[in-house]
Amino acid sequence: MNASLLYSLAAVAMIPVGAISAVSAVGESPNRQVLSMVEIVQGLEKEGYGPFAELSRDDGRWEVEARKGNESLELTVDPLTGKVLSQHRDDPEQAPPAESMALSKLLQSVLDHGSYRNFEEVSFERRYWEIEIYKDGQKRELHVDPITAKVIADRIDD
């Protein structure tokens, strides 16, 4: 057998090993999907977080302002697992009224009653939730009643 054929066979034999090592080194499947904002909020609610004041994406992770017990916190949340990566005390933000709908239910209601998709940011502003979301490929800004989940304003986000 000549040397070039041996080198070619050796190179081909190494491809699967390298591919397996690359996946193992990262620790995640390359096909793994990120959790939706609704799924992130549902998980946090189950862990006792809420009410929420704001959720947004920064550097690929969710930044969340919420309360847990009597403490105002800022969380960094992994978008693949929903795991809280860090949390620290934060200045309290205005919270929705006590009789407000759970945020996960409100967000799901927005999805169920319109052709909205892909939440980008959610924040509570004075009397309503301000939601940045997409509809028909266009970024929209919604104002949503915190008690009824009714969309009270829908405009193009500029």
CSV table of all heavy atoms in Angstrom, one decimal, residues 35-82:
chain,number,residue,atom,x,y,z
A,35,LEU,N,-35.8,27.6,24.4
A,35,LEU,CA,-37.1,27.7,25.0
A,35,LEU,C,-37.8,29.0,24.6
A,35,LEU,O,-37.1,30.0,24.5
A,35,LEU,CB,-37.0,27.5,26.5
A,35,LEU,CG,-36.4,26.2,27.0
A,35,LEU,CD1,-36.3,26.3,28.6
A,35,LEU,CD2,-37.3,25.1,26.7
A,36,SER,N,-39.1,29.0,24.5
A,36,SER,CA,-39.9,30.2,24.2
A,36,SER,C,-39.9,31.0,25.5
A,36,SER,O,-39.7,30.5,26.6
A,36,SER,CB,-41.3,29.8,23.8
A,36,SER,OG,-42.0,29.3,24.9
A,37,MET,N,-40.3,32.3,25.3
A,37,MET,CA,-40.4,33.1,26.5
A,37,MET,C,-41.5,32.6,27.4
A,37,MET,O,-41.3,32.6,28.7
A,37,MET,CB,-40.8,34.6,26.1
A,37,MET,CG,-40.9,35.5,27.3
A,37,MET,SD,-41.4,37.2,27.0
A,37,MET,CE,-39.9,37.9,26.2
A,38,VAL,N,-42.6,32.0,26.9
A,38,VAL,CA,-43.6,31.5,27.7
A,38,VAL,C,-43.1,30.3,28.6
A,38,VAL,O,-43.3,30.2,29.8
A,38,VAL,CB,-44.8,31.0,26.9
A,38,VAL,CG1,-45.8,30.2,27.7
A,38,VAL,CG2,-45.5,32.1,26.1
A,39,GLU,N,-42.3,29.4,28.0
A,39,GLU,CA,-41.7,28.3,28.7
A,39,GLU,C,-40.7,28.8,29.8
A,39,GLU,O,-40.7,28.3,30.9
A,39,GLU,CB,-40.9,27.4,27.7
A,39,GLU,CG,-41.9,26.6,26.8
A,39,GLU,CD,-41.2,25.9,25.7
A,39,GLU,OE1,-40.2,26.5,25.1
A,39,GLU,OE2,-41.6,24.8,25.4
A,40,ILE,N,-39.9,29.9,29.5
A,40,ILE,CA,-39.0,30.4,30.5
A,40,ILE,C,-39.8,30.9,31.7
A,40,ILE,O,-39.5,30.6,32.8
A,40,ILE,CB,-38.2,31.6,29.8
A,40,ILE,CG1,-37.2,31.0,28.8
A,40,ILE,CG2,-37.4,32.4,30.9
A,40,ILE,CD1,-36.1,30.2,29.2
A,41,VAL,N,-40.9,31.7,31.4
A,41,VAL,CA,-41.7,32.3,32.5
A,41,VAL,C,-42.4,31.2,33.3
A,41,VAL,O,-42.4,31.2,34.5
A,41,VAL,CB,-42.7,33.3,31.9
A,41,VAL,CG1,-43.6,33.8,33.0
A,41,VAL,CG2,-41.9,34.5,31.3
A,42,GLN,N,-42.9,30.2,32.6
A,42,GLN,CA,-43.6,29.1,33.3
A,42,GLN,C,-42.6,28.4,34.3
A,42,GLN,O,-43.0,28.1,35.4
A,42,GLN,CB,-44.1,28.0,32.3
A,42,GLN,CG,-45.3,28.5,31.6
A,42,GLN,CD,-45.7,27.5,30.4
A,42,GLN,OE1,-44.8,26.7,29.9
A,42,GLN,NE2,-46.9,27.5,30.0
A,43,GLY,N,-41.4,28.2,33.8
A,43,GLY,CA,-40.4,27.5,34.7
A,43,GLY,C,-40.0,28.4,35.9
A,43,GLY,O,-39.9,27.9,37.0
A,44,LEU,N,-39.9,29.7,35.7
A,44,LEU,CA,-39.6,30.6,36.8
A,44,LEU,C,-40.7,30.7,37.7
A,44,LEU,O,-40.5,30.8,39.0
A,44,LEU,CB,-39.2,32.0,36.2
A,44,LEU,CG,-37.8,32.0,35.4
A,44,LEU,CD1,-37.7,33.4,34.8
A,44,LEU,CD2,-36.7,31.7,36.4
A,45,GLU,N,-41.9,30.8,37.2
A,45,GLU,CA,-43.1,30.8,38.1
A,45,GLU,C,-43.2,29.6,39.0
A,45,GLU,O,-43.4,29.7,40.2
A,45,GLU,CB,-44.4,30.9,37.3
A,45,GLU,CG,-44.6,32.3,36.7
A,45,GLU,CD,-45.8,32.4,35.7
A,45,GLU,OE1,-46.3,31.3,35.2
A,45,GLU,OE2,-46.2,33.5,35.4
A,46,LYS,N,-42.8,28.4,38.5
A,46,LYS,CA,-42.8,27.2,39.2
A,46,LYS,C,-41.8,27.2,40.3
A,46,LYS,O,-41.9,26.6,41.4
A,46,LYS,CB,-42.6,25.9,38.3
A,46,LYS,CG,-43.7,25.6,37.5
A,46,LYS,CD,-43.4,24.4,36.6
A,46,LYS,CE,-44.6,24.1,35.7
A,46,LYS,NZ,-44.3,23.1,34.6
A,47,GLU,N,-40.7,28.0,40.1
A,47,GLU,CA,-39.6,28.1,41.1
A,47,GLU,C,-39.9,29.2,42.1
A,47,GLU,O,-39.1,29.6,43.0
A,47,GLU,CB,-38.3,28.4,40.4
A,47,GLU,CG,-37.8,27.2,39.6
A,47,GLU,CD,-36.4,27.5,39.0
A,47,GLU,OE1,-35.7,28.3,39.5
A,47,GLU,OE2,-36.2,26.9,37.9
A,48,GLY,N,-41.1,29.9,42.0
A,48,GLY,CA,-41.5,30.9,43.0
A,48,GLY,C,-41.2,32.3,42.6
A,48,GLY,O,-41.4,33.2,43.4
A,49,TYR,N,-40.8,32.6,41.4
A,49,TYR,CA,-40.5,33.9,40.9
A,49,TYR,C,-41.8,34.6,40.5
A,49,TYR,O,-42.7,33.9,39.9
A,49,TYR,CB,-39.5,34.0,39.8
A,49,TYR,CG,-38.1,33.5,40.2
A,49,TYR,CD1,-37.7,32.2,40.0
A,49,TYR,CD2,-37.2,34.4,40.8
A,49,TYR,CE1,-36.4,31.8,40.4
A,49,TYR,CE2,-36.0,34.0,41.2
A,49,TYR,CZ,-35.6,32.7,41.0
A,49,TYR,OH,-34.3,32.3,41.4
A,50,GLY,N,-41.9,35.9,40.7
A,50,GLY,CA,-43.1,36.6,40.3
A,50,GLY,C,-43.6,37.5,41.4
A,50,GLY,O,-43.4,37.1,42.6
A,51,PRO,N,-44.2,38.6,41.1
A,51,PRO,CA,-44.5,39.1,39.8
A,51,PRO,C,-43.2,39.5,39.0
A,51,PRO,O,-42.2,39.8,39.7
A,51,PRO,CB,-45.4,40.3,40.0
A,51,PRO,CG,-45.1,40.8,41.4
A,51,PRO,CD,-44.6,39.5,42.2
A,52,PHE,N,-43.3,39.6,37.7
A,52,PHE,CA,-42.2,40.0,36.9
A,52,PHE,C,-42.4,41.5,36.5
A,52,PHE,O,-43.5,42.0,36.5
A,52,PHE,CB,-42.2,39.2,35.6
A,52,PHE,CG,-42.0,37.8,35.8
A,52,PHE,CD1,-43.0,36.9,36.2
A,52,PHE,CD2,-40.7,37.2,35.8
A,52,PHE,CE1,-42.8,35.6,36.4
A,52,PHE,CE2,-40.5,35.9,36.0
A,52,PHE,CZ,-41.6,35.0,36.3
A,53,ALA,N,-41.2,42.1,36.2
A,53,ALA,CA,-41.3,43.5,35.8
A,53,ALA,C,-40.7,43.6,34.3
A,53,ALA,O,-41.2,44.5,33.6
A,53,ALA,CB,-40.4,44.4,36.7
A,54,GLU,N,-39.8,42.8,34.0
A,54,GLU,CA,-39.2,42.9,32.6
A,54,GLU,C,-38.5,41.6,32.2
A,54,GLU,O,-37.9,40.9,33.1
A,54,GLU,CB,-38.2,44.0,32.6
A,54,GLU,CG,-37.7,44.3,31.2
A,54,GLU,CD,-36.8,45.6,31.1
A,54,GLU,OE1,-36.9,46.4,32.0
A,54,GLU,OE2,-36.1,45.7,30.1
A,55,LEU,N,-38.6,41.3,30.9
A,55,LEU,CA,-37.8,40.2,30.4
A,55,LEU,C,-37.3,40.6,29.0
A,55,LEU,O,-38.0,41.2,28.2
A,55,LEU,CB,-38.7,38.9,30.1
A,55,LEU,CG,-39.1,38.1,31.3
A,55,LEU,CD1,-40.5,38.6,31.7
A,55,LEU,CD2,-39.2,36.7,30.9
A,56,SER,N,-36.0,40.4,28.8
A,56,SER,CA,-35.4,40.7,27.5
A,56,SER,C,-34.2,39.8,27.2
A,56,SER,O,-33.7,39.2,28.2
A,56,SER,CB,-34.9,42.2,27.5
A,56,SER,OG,-34.0,42.5,28.5
A,57,ARG,N,-33.8,39.8,26.0
A,57,ARG,CA,-32.6,39.0,25.6
A,57,ARG,C,-31.4,39.9,25.5
A,57,ARG,O,-31.4,41.0,25.0
A,57,ARG,CB,-32.8,38.3,24.2
A,57,ARG,CG,-33.9,37.4,24.1
A,57,ARG,CD,-33.6,35.9,24.5
A,57,ARG,NE,-32.4,35.4,23.9
A,57,ARG,CZ,-32.4,34.3,23.1
A,57,ARG,NH1,-33.5,33.7,22.8
A,57,ARG,NH2,-31.3,33.8,22.7
A,58,ASP,N,-30.3,39.4,26.1
A,58,ASP,CA,-29.0,40.1,26.1
A,58,ASP,C,-27.9,39.1,25.9
A,58,ASP,O,-27.8,38.2,26.8
A,58,ASP,CB,-28.8,41.0,27.3
A,58,ASP,CG,-27.6,41.9,27.2
A,58,ASP,OD1,-27.3,42.3,26.1
A,58,ASP,OD2,-27.1,42.2,28.3
A,59,ASP,N,-27.1,39.3,24.9
A,59,ASP,CA,-26.0,38.3,24.7
A,59,ASP,C,-26.4,36.9,24.6
A,59,ASP,O,-25.8,36.0,25.2
A,59,ASP,CB,-24.9,38.5,25.7
A,59,ASP,CG,-24.2,39.9,25.7
A,59,ASP,OD1,-24.1,40.4,24.5
A,59,ASP,OD2,-23.7,40.4,26.7
A,60,GLY,N,-27.6,36.7,24.0
A,60,GLY,CA,-28.1,35.3,23.9
A,60,GLY,C,-28.8,34.7,25.1
A,60,GLY,O,-29.3,33.6,25.1
A,61,ARG,N,-28.8,35.4,26.2
A,61,ARG,CA,-29.5,34.9,27.4
A,61,ARG,C,-30.6,35.8,27.8
A,61,ARG,O,-30.6,37.0,27.4
A,61,ARG,CB,-28.4,34.9,28.6
A,61,ARG,CG,-27.3,33.9,28.3
A,61,ARG,CD,-26.4,33.7,29.5
A,61,ARG,NE,-25.6,32.6,29.3
A,61,ARG,CZ,-24.3,32.6,29.6
A,61,ARG,NH1,-23.7,33.7,30.1
A,61,ARG,NH2,-23.6,31.5,29.4
A,62,TRP,N,-31.5,35.3,28.6
A,62,TRP,CA,-32.7,36.1,29.1
A,62,TRP,C,-32.2,36.8,30.3
A,62,TRP,O,-31.6,36.3,31.2
A,62,TRP,CB,-33.9,35.2,29.4
A,62,TRP,CG,-34.6,34.7,28.2
A,62,TRP,CD1,-34.5,33.4,27.7
A,62,TRP,CD2,-35.4,35.5,27.3
A,62,TRP,NE1,-35.3,33.4,26.5
A,62,TRP,CE2,-35.8,34.6,26.3
A,62,TRP,CE3,-35.8,36.8,27.3
A,62,TRP,CZ2,-36.7,35.0,25.3
A,62,TRP,CZ3,-36.7,37.2,26.2
A,62,TRP,CH2,-37.1,36.3,25.3
A,63,GLU,N,-32.5,38.1,30.3
A,63,GLU,CA,-32.4,38.9,31.6
A,63,GLU,C,-33.8,39.2,32.1
A,63,GLU,O,-34.7,39.6,31.3
A,63,GLU,CB,-31.7,40.2,31.3
A,63,GLU,CG,-30.2,40.1,31.0
A,63,GLU,CD,-29.4,41.4,31.0
A,63,GLU,OE1,-30.1,42.5,31.1
A,63,GLU,OE2,-28.2,41.3,30.8
A,64,VAL,N,-34.0,38.9,33.3
A,64,VAL,CA,-35.3,38.9,33.9
A,64,VAL,C,-35.3,39.7,35.2
A,64,VAL,O,-34.4,39.5,36.1
A,64,VAL,CB,-35.8,37.5,34.3
A,64,VAL,CG1,-37.2,37.5,34.9
A,64,VAL,CG2,-35.8,36.6,33.0
A,65,GLU,N,-36.2,40.7,35.3
A,65,GLU,CA,-36.4,41.4,36.6
A,65,GLU,C,-37.7,40.9,37.2
A,65,GLU,O,-38.8,40.9,36.6
A,65,GLU,CB,-36.5,42.9,36.3
A,65,GLU,CG,-35.2,43.5,35.8
A,65,GLU,CD,-35.2,44.9,35.6
A,65,GLU,OE1,-36.1,45.6,36.1
A,65,GLU,OE2,-34.3,45.4,34.9
A,66,ALA,N,-37.6,40.3,38.4
A,66,ALA,CA,-38.7,39.7,39.1
A,66,ALA,C,-38.5,39.8,40.6
A,66,ALA,O,-37.5,40.1,41.1
A,66,ALA,CB,-38.8,38.2,38.6
A,67,ARG,N,-39.6,39.4,41.3
A,67,ARG,CA,-39.5,39.3,42.7
A,67,ARG,C,-39.6,37.8,43.1
A,67,ARG,O,-40.1,37.0,42.4
A,67,ARG,CB,-40.7,40.1,43.4
A,67,ARG,CG,-40.7,41.6,43.1
A,67,ARG,CD,-41.7,42.3,43.9
A,67,ARG,NE,-41.5,42.3,45.3
A,67,ARG,CZ,-40.6,43.0,46.0
A,67,ARG,NH1,-39.8,43.8,45.4
A,67,ARG,NH2,-40.6,42.9,47.3
A,68,LYS,N,-39.0,37.5,44.2
A,68,LYS,CA,-39.1,36.2,44.8
A,68,LYS,C,-39.3,36.5,46.3
A,68,LYS,O,-38.3,37.0,46.9
A,68,LYS,CB,-38.0,35.3,44.5
A,68,LYS,CG,-38.2,33.9,45.0
A,68,LYS,CD,-37.2,32.9,44.5
A,68,LYS,CE,-37.5,31.5,44.8
A,68,LYS,NZ,-36.6,30.6,44.3
A,69,GLY,N,-40.4,36.2,46.9
A,69,GLY,CA,-40.7,36.6,48.2
A,69,GLY,C,-40.7,38.1,48.3
A,69,GLY,O,-41.4,38.8,47.5
A,70,ASN,N,-40.0,38.7,49.2
A,70,ASN,CA,-40.0,40.2,49.3
A,70,ASN,C,-38.8,40.8,48.7
A,70,ASN,O,-38.5,42.0,48.9
A,70,ASN,CB,-40.0,40.6,50.8
A,70,ASN,CG,-41.3,40.2,51.5
A,70,ASN,OD1,-42.4,40.3,50.8
A,70,ASN,ND2,-41.3,39.8,52.7
A,71,GLU,N,-38.0,40.0,47.9
A,71,GLU,CA,-36.8,40.5,47.3
A,71,GLU,C,-36.9,40.8,45.8
A,71,GLU,O,-37.5,40.0,45.0
A,71,GLU,CB,-35.7,39.4,47.5
A,71,GLU,CG,-34.3,39.9,47.5
A,71,GLU,CD,-33.4,38.7,48.0
A,71,GLU,OE1,-33.7,37.6,47.8
A,71,GLU,OE2,-32.3,39.1,48.5
A,72,SER,N,-36.4,41.9,45.4
A,72,SER,CA,-36.4,42.3,43.9
A,72,SER,C,-35.1,41.8,43.4
A,72,SER,O,-34.0,42.0,44.0
A,72,SER,CB,-36.5,43.8,43.7
A,72,SER,OG,-37.7,44.2,44.0
A,73,LEU,N,-35.1,41.0,42.3
A,73,LEU,CA,-34.0,40.3,41.8
A,73,LEU,C,-33.8,40.6,40.3
A,73,LEU,O,-34.8,40.8,39.6
A,73,LEU,CB,-34.1,38.8,42.0
A,73,LEU,CG,-34.2,38.4,43.4
A,73,LEU,CD1,-34.6,36.9,43.5
A,73,LEU,CD2,-32.9,38.6,44.2
A,74,GLU,N,-32.6,40.6,39.8
A,74,GLU,CA,-32.3,40.5,38.4
A,74,GLU,C,-31.6,39.1,38.1
A,74,GLU,O,-30.7,38.8,38.8
A,74,GLU,CB,-31.4,41.6,37.9
A,74,GLU,CG,-31.1,41.6,36.4
A,74,GLU,CD,-30.4,42.8,35.9
A,74,GLU,OE1,-30.7,43.9,36.3
A,74,GLU,OE2,-29.5,42.6,35.0
A,75,LEU,N,-32.2,38.4,37.2
A,75,LEU,CA,-31.8,37.1,36.9
A,75,LEU,C,-31.2,37.0,35.5
A,75,LEU,O,-31.6,37.7,34.6
A,75,LEU,CB,-32.9,36.1,36.9
A,75,LEU,CG,-33.9,36.1,38.0
A,75,LEU,CD1,-35.1,35.3,37.8
A,75,LEU,CD2,-33.3,35.8,39.3
A,76,THR,N,-30.2,36.1,35.3
A,76,THR,CA,-29.8,35.7,34.0
A,76,THR,C,-30.2,34.3,33.8
A,76,THR,O,-29.9,33.4,34.6
A,76,THR,CB,-28.2,35.9,33.9
A,76,THR,OG1,-27.9,37.2,34.1
A,76,THR,CG2,-27.8,35.5,32.5
A,77,VAL,N,-30.9,34.0,32.7
A,77,VAL,CA,-31.5,32.7,32.5
A,77,VAL,C,-31.0,32.1,31.2
A,77,VAL,O,-31.0,32.7,30.1
A,77,VAL,CB,-33.0,32.8,32.5
A,77,VAL,CG1,-33.7,31.4,32.3
A,77,VAL,CG2,-33.5,33.4,33.8
A,78,ASP,N,-30.6,30.8,31.2
A,78,ASP,CA,-30.1,30.1,30.1
A,78,ASP,C,-31.3,29.8,29.1
A,78,ASP,O,-32.3,29.3,29.5
A,78,ASP,CB,-29.5,28.7,30.5
A,78,ASP,CG,-28.9,28.0,29.3
A,78,ASP,OD1,-29.7,27.5,28.5
A,78,ASP,OD2,-27.7,27.9,29.3
A,79,PRO,N,-31.2,30.2,27.8
A,79,PRO,CA,-32.3,30.1,26.9
A,79,PRO,C,-32.6,28.6,26.5
A,79,PRO,O,-33.7,28.3,26.0
A,79,PRO,CB,-31.9,30.9,25.7
A,79,PRO,CG,-30.4,30.9,25.7
A,79,PRO,CD,-30.1,30.9,27.2
A,80,LEU,N,-31.6,27.7,26.7
A,80,LEU,CA,-31.8,26.3,26.3
A,80,LEU,C,-32.4,25.5,27.4
A,80,LEU,O,-33.2,24.6,27.1
A,80,LEU,CB,-30.4,25.7,25.9
A,80,LEU,CG,-29.8,26.3,24.7
A,80,LEU,CD1,-28.4,25.7,24.5
A,80,LEU,CD2,-30.6,26.0,23.4
A,81,THR,N,-32.1,25.8,28.6
A,81,THR,CA,-32.6,25.0,29.7
A,81,THR,C,-33.5,25.7,30.7
A,81,THR,O,-34.2,25.0,31.4
A,81,THR,CB,-31.4,24.5,30.6
A,81,THR,OG1,-30.8,25.7,31.2
A,81,THR,CG2,-30.3,23.8,29.8
A,82,GLY,N,-33.6,27.0,30.6
A,82,GLY,CA,-34.4,27.7,31.6
A,82,GLY,C,-33.8,27.9,33.0
A,82,GLY,O,-34.4,28.4,33.9
